[in-house]
Amino acid sequence: MTMSDLQLALTQCLSKDAINRKQGQKCLDQMKLNHQYIAELWMISGNTNLDMAMRQLAIVNIKNSIEELWTGLPSDLKVWFRSELIQRLADPVYSIRSNIAFIVSKIAHNDWPDHWGTFFDDLIVALKSSNINYVHGAMRVLADFVRDDLSDLSFPSVAPTLLPELFAIYSNESMPVKIRTRSVAIVREFIELIYMVKEEHPQVIENYLEPLLNIWLQGFIQMLEQPTSPENLPIKNEVLRTVVKLVRAFPKKTTPFIAGFMNIIWNELLQLQSAYQQQYLCPSQNQYQEADDDADSDGETHSIETILYSLLDFIQLVARKKAVRLTIEQNLPQMFKVLLIYLQITTAMEVNWLRDMNQFIQDDEEEAVTYNVRIAVEQSLINLFDAFQKNALTALFQVSLELFQEGKRLRESGATYWWKYDESCLLALGLFPGEIAELSNANGPLNLETIFTQIVIEDMKCNDLPFLQGRSLWFASQFAVSLPKPLVSEYLSACTNAIHSTEVSSAVQVFAMKSTRGFLSALPLEDVSPFQSNIIEGLVRFSVDAKEDTLILLMETLLLTMKVSKQGIVNHEEKLSVLLLSLLNTWSEDVFIMELVQEWFQELASNELISTPFQTRMFPLLVSAISAEQYQANSTLSAIALDLCTCLIQSVPDPLPSCYAQQLFPKVIEMMLSVSESGLLQNGQETLKQLVNRDILGIVQWSHNGRSGLDFLLEFIAKMLLPEESESSALFIGELITKLIQKASDQLTPYLPQLLGAVINRLANAQMPAFIETLVLVFCHLIQTQAQTVIDFLYPITLGNRNGLEILVQAWCESFNDFHGVYNIKLCTTSLIILFSTGDLRLRNIQVKGELIVQNQPKKIVTRSMARNQPDTFTTLSFPQKTLKLLIHEYQSQIESKVGSTKRPKTNNYDFNQLGHIESDDEEWEMDSEDPDPYSYFDEESGDGDERESLTSDPIYQTDLELAIKQFFREGFSKFGNAFEELCKSLSQDEQNVIAEMVRQ
């Protein structure tokens, strides 16, 4: 490789011809194999006689390949290159200098301090240079270094030297603002690091934070006291961000300075108000021009808005602090007056929102996607209310009345932006509807009627001001519960008419939907039921052109409307079903819309007045979406179709139509046996479980090629229990097995030993707590009525050096505290008591993981490699000991909580025996077919209504776990005698005290 070869390749890369560019890049890739590649590119980048584009491309190629090539370069070349890099940080070309700084940072990350001991000293020399370019290059490197490479170990050797140099740069007014600004940003990174290590190294507060505060804060005050100008705006912005960081991270240490900063920040808010109004609020839409990007050459954004973020953030932080609380409280009216100006809609918002209603919806929701001054003010208002309650509301209300009058005067004077005063006040007051209504109803200082009669009614007539007209509708919905019924009807009619109208602005229609949603959420059903049909008609019509966020808002509103009255949607079933199917086909990839589709589906399917036509319309289309072929075309739609079918199965009244077992089951089981996608398999397990729950007889009676539906179910279960199948994919297989045992007791008896053997075989190597739980609970259900049979069945099974009983008990005990859901915890705990109470001698000899052994080590940071080399170790306990410890722990949890803790390609048929050699003395499993286990595997929060009702009436769910554990220990002493007493004595003193307390009560 020669210099000319490299230049030729770079020239080709700069060519307008795509073929030449591709050839040039190919040549560069080949040259990378030469150790001189980096050095030659470096020489090209510094050759001022060459074309600038070639020089820039050379340095960019170094930047892009340095991490890949650096470790393979010879040591002498590295030494030379590191020296060259430091000197070239002063390169006069900004783009080249910035890329060099990036390269230095990457190499320092790898080499410092072991292989580049002079790196930090070299940077300090650069900082002291009179060459501005040199200082700038060094600052770029330092920013990355402090953020990415400085640690608590290197902090003491760096901070004492670097912090004074940074302050010298910051204080030097002859230094370019960009460099002074970066010095503040680097200091902020230091502050972040001090905050992160202060618990481990408390001395950093005294050694570094306090000196930093004494020096820097005075400099910050001096900067903030200067009038804001375009020139100093970037540095003031960084200073404010740093002050906020200090106050948030070290509230006690910064308390002496808060009052002084509060005065400065308040004055800054006042001074910026006029400029903000002129630049952002007053221009009309016709005068509006797209603002230039405020980002500087380093990618940092500096504007009045960015400064306002920090000013408002500071106010939120200090509102409750004693140092300024009284001052803020005394000046609440003035503060609210300023904040309500900043709350106004900017001209840019107005233009962008009219252009894109989806953006408006995003910005106007409580959880806005983008951040802006308006949202920052809303947060400040809420924060001030939290701090000052009634006084804040009184001040806000009085200031709003003043600004309403100011808006009226502006309107009379011909100002086009007068309406923004009304809109911002309505928004602010609407944030606190309950609190304001309470004060108003109590004949207090807030007269809500005045707002409605003098402001809202008039603003609703402003057809040419859609955001004001819409806000007045929204405001009315916020106070829905306080309005007289005639006014509620009037406002709801206005909302409905707006949704139907083709004349009003889309902004008003969006507000109408938001307002309707508010009314529906707040009012009694009888007040809104007369409007249900009309709202549905309007929303369905509006849905034709609705997209994205607008569609989500529409669907949320329509869902609430459906819930008003089951009778009220009977005449709309067809159009709602057609819309539902359209959404399924068009938006199947949109997670948020599909969540709402499933809620819609649940609501319609559970309505017994329309369940038959709805099912008739939906069933064929959903079944057609469930197949291996359809999955290949649209996997998301197949997964959703499974969920919706599950919903239908749960919702359709008894008896379940035969088409579910005869048409749906074959489709589902065929897909489940041929796909490997984890989420789809999980969905399928739930669908199959619900089919088993509703119509196991129909499944057993269905057959294909001489095999029954039960045969196919067992084949699928065997597949999911294979060791090579991911635990995530089989996360709900235990639920399906449990339900199958419950519902198919007679038919399953011949297969049960193999089935349970396969479960224990998979449990032997299970890792994921949730997967272990689903398998263990299969046996917990059986232990409730057949504990001794379970022991007798598992003990002879041999897997490696453990028997089946050991596998179950060890997995159970180790994962006990990971079980979740009230029902599952009660089932797990009571089953453990039953198992222990058998007194079977085979349980006594089982050893399980005990408690963590705490190593006495010097206090220092433990790295990942150290943790790998020193894994946690545990004691070993017998199963009876571990059981008592777990029960004591659960008893204490019950006391604390009072209510309990919730916390592939198609294959051949599977044989359970291929899952591992299972030896068992049992020829047949005894099944109590006359009294099938009724226990649902569901937590009380899930499942369909019938399952939830069955669950909550289940004896296990009704168990008082605290009382059950007490009773176990009380009876243990009499039932097991001295052995139980000795077992209790082997526990810790604290645990023995808990037992004594239980026995005494």
Side-chain angles (χ1 to χ4, degrees):
M1 180 188 73
T2 65
M3 179 75 75
S4 58
D5 292 335
L6 192 52
Q7 290 184 24
L8 177 60
L10 292 172
T11 301
Q12 287 180 305
C13 288
L14 293 169
S15 171
K16 295 181 180 180
D17 183 72
I19 296 177
N20 284 340
R21 291 198 303 272
K22 186 176 181 180
Q23 180 61 35
Q25 187 58 54
K26 182 178 179 180
C27 291
L28 289 177
D29 291 339
Q30 294 172 347
M31 293 177 187
K32 283 182 182 180
L33 302 177
N34 192 313
H35 286 161
Q36 293 301 312
Y37 175 74
I38 294 291
E40 297 292 351
L41 283 174
W42 179 254
M43 300 304 292
I44 291 173
S45 72
N47 189 342
T48 57
N49 293 321
L50 294 176
D51 181 70
M52 180 57 70
M54 180 177 290
R55 294 178 59 199
Q56 290 175 326
L57 183 58
I59 201 67
V60 167
N61 271 278
I62 297 176
K63 171 186 173 182
N64 293 339
S65 58
I66 194 65
E67 289 186 271
E68 173 191 351
L69 302 178
W70 182 251
T71 55
L73 295 181
S75 298
D76 57 340
L77 182 57
K78 289 183 178 181
V79 172
W80 170 82
F81 191 53
R82 285 192 292 252
S83 175
E84 285 283 317
L85 282 168
I86 291 295
Q87 299 303 316
R88 285 276 302 281
L89 281 174
D91 196 290
V93 180
Y94 178 86
S95 60
I96 292 179
R97 183 169 69 248
S98 297
N99 281 306
I100 291 173
F102 178 89
I103 295 166
V104 172
S105 297
K106 289 301 178 184
I107 294 176
H109 180 75
N110 186 72
D111 289 7
W112 183 83
D114 297 337
H115 304 294
W116 196 355
T118 64
F119 164 71
F120 180 66
D121 294 334
D122 293 340
L123 288 183
I124 295 298
V125 171
L127 290 183
K128 295 180 177 180
S129 171
S130 59
N131 185 331
I132 297 300
N133 292 333
Y134 205 9
V135 176
H136 174 257
M139 294 288 279
R140 292 284 299 243
V141 176
L142 278 170
D144 295 335
F145 169 70
V146 172
R147 184 185 65 246
D148 301 331
D149 297 310
L150 193 61
S151 68
D152 58 327
L153 300 178
S154 55
F155 193 93
S157 63
V158 171
T161 304
L162 182 55
L163 287 174
E165 291 300 329
L166 291 174
F167 186 73
I169 291 172
Y170 169 74
S171 305
N172 187 351
E173 295 187 2
S174 64
M175 191 70 71
V177 170
K178 180 182 292 187
I179 294 178
R180 295 175 66 199
T181 300
R182 191 173 289 277
S183 71
V184 181
I186 295 173
V187 167
R188 191 167 62 255
E189 295 293 342
F190 267 106
I191 294 168
E192 178 67 24
L193 182 58
I194 292 173
Y195 174 74
M196 291 174 63
V197 304
K198 65 183 176 67
E199 299 297 331
E200 188 75 18
H201 306 281
Q203 68 274 13
V204 298
I205 301 296
E206 180 181 353
N207 294 342
Y208 304 109
L209 180 66
E210 291 177 358
L212 184 150
L213 293 176
N214 294 333
I215 296 173
W216 282 85
L217 287 187
Q218 189 56 44
F220 289 165
I221 289 173
Q222 292 174 2
M223 172 58 65
L224 293 177
E225 286 177 338
Q226 298 178 17
T228 300
S229 66
E231 291 73 25
N232 68 12
L233 192 148
I235 192 169
K236 290 190 75 170
N237 191 28
E238 285 297 335
V239 166
L240 283 166
R241 291 174 64 189
T242 306
V243 169
V244 169
K245 171 77 75 175
L246 278 167
V247 173
R248 178 175 282 116
F250 305 100
K252 291 184 179 179
K253 290 294 180 182
T254 53
T255 295
F257 306 94
I258 284 177
F261 276 113
M262 184 65 211
N263 290 333
I264 294 171
I265 283 172
W266 173 243
N267 289 330
E268 188 77 10
L269 276 171
L270 290 173
Q271 292 170 10
L272 290 176
Q273 179 180 319
S274 177
Y276 186 79
Q277 284 182 291
Q278 293 300 317
Q279 185 174 341
Y280 293 92
L281 304 177
C282 295
S284 66
Q285 292 186 46
N286 295 331
Q287 297 169 323
Y288 171 74
Q289 294 180 344
E290 288 283 352
D292 295 331
D293 189 357
D294 292 322
D296 60 21
S297 55
D298 291 332
E300 296 290 338
T301 300
H302 305 287
S303 65
I304 293 178
E305 289 181 302
T306 56
I307 282 190
L308 285 172
Y309 297 153
S310 297
L311 296 175
L312 296 168
D313 204 359
F314 182 88
I315 289 175
Q316 294 175 42
L317 280 175
V318 304
R320 294 176 177 271
K321 294 189 177 295
K322 291 181 180 179
V324 294
R325 181 178 176 86
L326 182 59
T327 301
I328 293 177
E329 191 166 19
Q330 291 173 343
N331 292 278
L332 279 173
Q334 297 94 313
M335 184 167 289
F336 280 131
K337 193 166 186 176
V338 172
L339 290 178
L340 290 182
I341 296 298
Y342 286 120
L343 185 65
Q344 292 179 12
I345 294 176
T346 65
T347 306
M349 288 177 180
E350 190 181 355
V351 171
N352 291 330
W353 289 349
L354 288 173
R355 185 186 302 159
D356 183 3
M357 276 295 109
N358 292 310
Q359 184 64 51
F360 164 64
I361 294 171
Q362 289 178 15
D363 291 346
D364 201 57
E365 289 293 287
E366 291 182 7
E367 300 295 332
V369 177
T370 56
Y371 195 66
N372 53 49
V373 172
R374 186 174 166 94
I375 293 170
V377 174
E378 285 186 44
Q379 293 174 349
S380 299
L381 293 173
I382 294 170
N383 193 273
L384 289 169
F385 166 74
D386 290 340
F388 301 105
Q389 298 290 313
K390 181 179 177 180
N391 288 345
L393 288 183
T394 302
L396 177 61
F397 198 90
Q398 296 304 321
V399 167
S400 296
L401 293 178
E402 293 176 19
L403 291 178
F404 284 136
Q405 292 302 313
E406 178 66 20
K408 182 178 180 181
R409 287 192 293 270
L410 288 171
R411 183 180 190 180
E412 292 171 350
S413 68
T416 58
Y417 55 88
W418 68 268
W419 63 271
K420 296 183 180 183
Y421 283 75
D422 281 20
E423 194 277 340
S424 66
C425 292
L426 291 176
L427 172 59
L429 294 172
L431 295 175
F432 314 101
E435 296 82 359
I436 289 177
E438 182 179 346
L439 291 175
S440 178
N441 291 339
N443 297 319
L446 313 186
N447 188 346
L448 194 57
E449 184 180 354
T450 302
I451 303 293
F452 275 98
T453 57
Q454 297 182 14
I455 306 298
V456 176
I457 295 295
E458 292 301 316
D459 288 346
M460 287 183 67
K461 300 175 183 177
C462 297
N463 296 326
D464 57 335
L465 297 170
F467 292 108
L468 178 61
Q469 189 178 40
R471 182 62 65 192
S472 63
L473 281 174
W474 173 87
F475 182 83
S477 71
Q478 291 295 96
F479 292 90
V481 294
S482 305
L483 295 175
K485 282 191 176 182
L487 272 182
V488 169
S489 297
E490 184 178 339
Y491 288 129
L492 258 175
S493 295
C495 291
T496 307
N497 292 337
I499 294 171
H500 278 270
S501 175
T502 58
E503 303 296 328
V504 302
S505 164
S506 56
V508 175
Q509 291 183 304
V510 166
F511 266 118
M513 285 190 285
K514 290 167 67 73
S515 304
T516 301
R517 185 178 62 180
F519 282 119
L520 293 173
S521 300
L523 294 172
L525 296 181
E526 59 268 20
D527 289 352
V528 295
S529 58
F531 300 91
Q532 183 183 21
S533 182
N534 206 8
I535 293 172
I536 292 175
E537 291 281 358
L539 291 174
V540 170
R541 186 180 296 112
F542 190 83
S543 68
V544 175
D545 298 318
K547 296 178 181 178
E548 299 168 344
D549 295 275
T550 307
L551 182 57
I552 291 174
L553 172 61
L554 181 146
M555 293 177 69
E556 290 172 347
T557 308
L558 195 45
L559 180 62
L560 286 172
T561 311
M562 291 181 200
K563 294 180 178 181
V564 171
S565 165
K566 290 186 175 183
Q567 181 64 50
I569 61 175
V570 170
N571 295 330
H572 302 286
E573 181 273 326
E574 182 177 359
K575 60 175 68 73
L576 288 172
S577 297
V578 171
L579 175 56
L580 193 60
L581 291 171
S582 173
L583 293 171
L584 268 173
N585 289 323
T586 308
W587 297 95
S588 62
E589 300 294 332
D590 190 298
V591 176
F592 300 106
I593 291 177
M594 285 302 102
E595 286 181 359
L596 286 167
V597 162
Q598 292 183 54
E599 289 188 57
W600 269 28
F601 198 94
Q602 175 70 47
E603 187 64 33
L604 294 172
S606 61
N607 187 340
E608 62 277 5
L609 300 178
I610 61 171
S611 59
T612 300
F614 181 74
Q615 176 189 195
T616 302
R617 203 181 309 278
M618 290 293 169
F619 184 82
L621 295 165
L622 292 178
V623 171
S624 68
I626 300 174
S627 68
E629 295 77 14
Q630 181 62 39
Y631 169 74
Q632 297 298 326
N634 190 337
S635 59
T636 305
L637 185 59
S638 294
I640 294 167
L642 277 174
D643 283 342
L644 298 183
C645 283
T646 302
C647 178
L648 272 182
I649 298 166
Q650 293 172 324
S651 304
V652 171
D654 287 326
L656 189 72
S658 61
C659 59
Y660 285 87
Q662 299 300 314
Q663 298 177 37
L664 177 61
F665 174 78
K667 289 277 191 176
V668 175
I669 200 68
E670 179 188 16
M671 177 185 282
M672 291 300 101
L673 289 170
S674 61
V675 301
S676 58
E677 199 272 316
S678 178
L680 192 68
L681 287 167
Q682 291 179 5
N683 291 1
Q685 288 160 53
E686 178 64 21
T687 305
L688 290 171
K689 186 187 75 171
Q690 296 302 330
L691 281 168
V692 168
N693 185 53
R694 292 295 305 275
D695 191 13
I696 183 60
L697 185 59
I699 291 173
V700 171
Q701 291 174 347
W702 176 82
S703 64
H704 178 68
N705 291 338
R707 300 178 65 209
S708 72
L710 182 59
D711 293 330
F712 284 102
L713 262 180
L714 292 174
E715 179 186 348
F716 172 64
I717 291 171
K719 170 192 172 182
M720 299 312 298
L721 291 174
L722 284 171
E724 56 264 29
E725 193 70 55
S726 77
E727 295 183 5
S728 176
S729 297
L731 203 54
F732 305 113
I733 197 64
E735 299 181 25
L736 176 58
I737 294 170
T738 298
K739 187 62 66 178
L740 189 59
I741 293 172
Q742 294 168 3
K743 294 292 183 178
S745 55
D746 291 336
Q747 299 91 335
L748 197 60
T749 298
Y751 307 100
L752 196 59
Q754 284 185 318
L755 174 60
L756 295 177
V759 174
I760 207 70
N761 183 82
R762 188 66 185 89
L763 185 60
N765 298 303
Q767 300 293 323
M768 187 185 297
F771 183 57
I772 293 172
E773 177 182 357
T774 190
L775 298 180
V776 168
L777 288 178
V778 172
F779 292 96
C780 287
H781 282 285
L782 294 168
I783 286 170
Q784 289 287 321
T785 55
Q786 304 181 63
Q788 194 61 55
T789 307
V790 172
I791 295 172
D792 294 339
F793 170 75
L794 290 176
Y795 187 76
I797 295 175
T798 302
L799 292 169
N801 60 354
R802 295 192 293 170
N803 63 56
L805 188 59
E806 286 180 287
I807 292 168
L808 172 64
V809 166
Q810 289 170 352
W812 189 350
C813 290
E814 290 178 21
S815 301
F816 183 91
N817 292 324
D818 293 319
F819 283 36
H820 64 282
V822 171
Y823 180 78
N824 288 350
I825 290 172
K826 290 185 176 183
L827 171 63
C828 167
T829 305
T830 55
S831 298
L832 194 63
I833 290 174
I834 293 170
L835 190 66
F836 182 98
S837 299
T838 62
D840 195 295
L841 295 177
R842 290 169 289 187
L843 291 168
R844 297 183 184 180
N845 297 325
I846 297 177
Q847 299 295 303
V848 299
K849 183 189 290 186
E851 297 169 338
L852 176 68
I853 299 174
V854 180
Q855 305 288 346
N856 292 323
Q857 294 181 344
K859 190 175 183 181
K860 63 180 181 179
I861 295 175
V862 179
T863 64
R864 285 189 293 269
S865 61
M866 291 169 61
R868 284 194 298 269
N869 295 329
Q870 299 176 359
D872 291 336
T873 55
F874 296 83
T875 62
T876 300
L877 298 172
S878 68
F879 166 71
Q881 282 179 303
K882 183 69 173 181
T883 298
L884 297 191
K885 285 179 174 289
L886 292 174
L887 293 176
I888 290 168
H889 179 271
E890 185 57 40
Y891 172 78
Q892 292 175 310
S893 296
Q894 293 295 319
I895 293 293
E896 292 171 3
S897 65
K898 302 297 183 185
V899 293
S901 305
T902 51
K903 294 196 225 179
R904 185 175 248 64
K906 189 169 182 179
T907 57
N908 296 325
N909 295 347
Y910 291 80
D911 185 335
F912 283 101
N913 286 327
Q914 70 173 300
L915 302 179
H917 180 58
I918 299 173
E919 299 174 359
S920 175
D921 294 337
D922 290 66
E923 295 297 325
E924 183 173 322
W925 185 271
E926 296 290 336
M927 291 296 296
D928 186 2
S929 58
E930 294 183 2
D931 184 23
D933 181 9
Y935 305 128
S936 168
Y937 183 72
F938 286 82
D939 187 10
E940 75 280 9
E941 301 295 333
S942 61
D944 64 279
D946 291 339
E947 278 188 305
R948 286 196 298 270
E949 184 178 349
S950 173
L951 177 62
T952 53
S953 61
D954 188 296
I956 292 176
Y957 186 82
Q958 297 297 328
T959 299
D960 183 330
L961 212 49
E962 177 189 340
L963 186 61
I965 296 172
K966 277 185 187 179
Q967 185 175 350
F968 164 76
F969 277 99
R970 289 171 181 168
E971 295 177 352
F973 289 99
S974 58
K975 183 175 181 179
F976 301 109
N978 292 335
F980 190 79
E981 184 175 350
E982 291 300 317
L983 193 60
C984 292
K985 289 180 179 178
S986 71
L987 305 179
S988 70
Q989 188 59 53
D990 288 341
E991 290 166 334
Q992 291 183 51
N993 292 341
V994 175
I995 294 174
E997 178 189 344
M998 285 191 281
V999 173
R1000 280 197 306 269
Q1001 292 178 354

